[in-house]
Amino acid sequence: MKDVRLSPHEKRVLAEMERALSRDPALARRLGTVPGTRPGPLATLRGRPHALAVAVIAFAVLSLTLLAVAVAYAHPVLLWVFAATWLLTLAGLIRLTLRWSRGMRSTPPVIE
């Protein structure tokens, strides 16, 4: 890409925009640019969009397997483990559904 030169006015406007964005603590925290802070525990999943889907599928397979084993052996501990993995699967499905529905929304209008 060619080197793009900005006019002094464009440089000034860009600097003002950067200053305004740098004063937003929520944005800085989300981008992980706040000194002394680390990204949240789910930051690694944000970088890999399909990781959550793979985790949900894995938990669903594990849940169904645990359900079959728990029913076959009628052991209460296995039923509780199944319930816990099923809840994790359900939480992941809700998260995937919310992510999908956000992608279906129309883009907000640009205010100039």
Side-chain angles (χ1 to χ4, degrees), residues 34-93:
V34 176
T37 63
R38 294 183 306 155
L42 297 177
T44 56
L45 288 179
R46 288 186 193 128
R48 294 175 272 160
H50 299 294
L52 181 59
V54 171
V56 168
I57 291 170
F59 273 115
V61 170
L62 180 63
S63 292
L64 291 175
T65 304
L66 282 170
L67 176 62
V69 172
V71 168
Y73 289 106
H75 199 277
V77 173
L78 288 174
L79 289 171
W80 283 107
V81 172
F82 157 73
T85 57
W86 181 78
L87 287 175
L88 288 173
T89 304
L90 189 62
L93 281 173

Side-chain angles (χ1 to χ4, degrees), residues 1-42:
M1 189 170 162
K2 293 184 178 182
D3 189 23
V4 179
R5 304 221 183 259
L6 298 176
S7 69
H9 174 69
E10 291 171 329
K11 289 179 183 177
R12 194 170 42 256
V13 169
L14 182 61
E16 289 174 14
M17 289 170 56
E18 288 175 344
R19 275 194 302 277
L21 289 174
S22 69
R23 288 191 293 261
D24 186 0
L27 177 65
R29 189 172 42 254
R30 189 164 191 188
L31 295 175
T33 58
V34 176
T37 63
R38 294 183 306 155
L42 297 177

Side-chain angles (χ1 to χ4, degrees), residues 91-105:
L93 281 173
I94 291 170
R95 178 84 186 220
L96 281 175
T97 304
L98 290 174
R99 184 185 294 174
W100 174 77
S101 68
R102 272 188 246 127
M104 298 301 287
R105 291 184 199 155

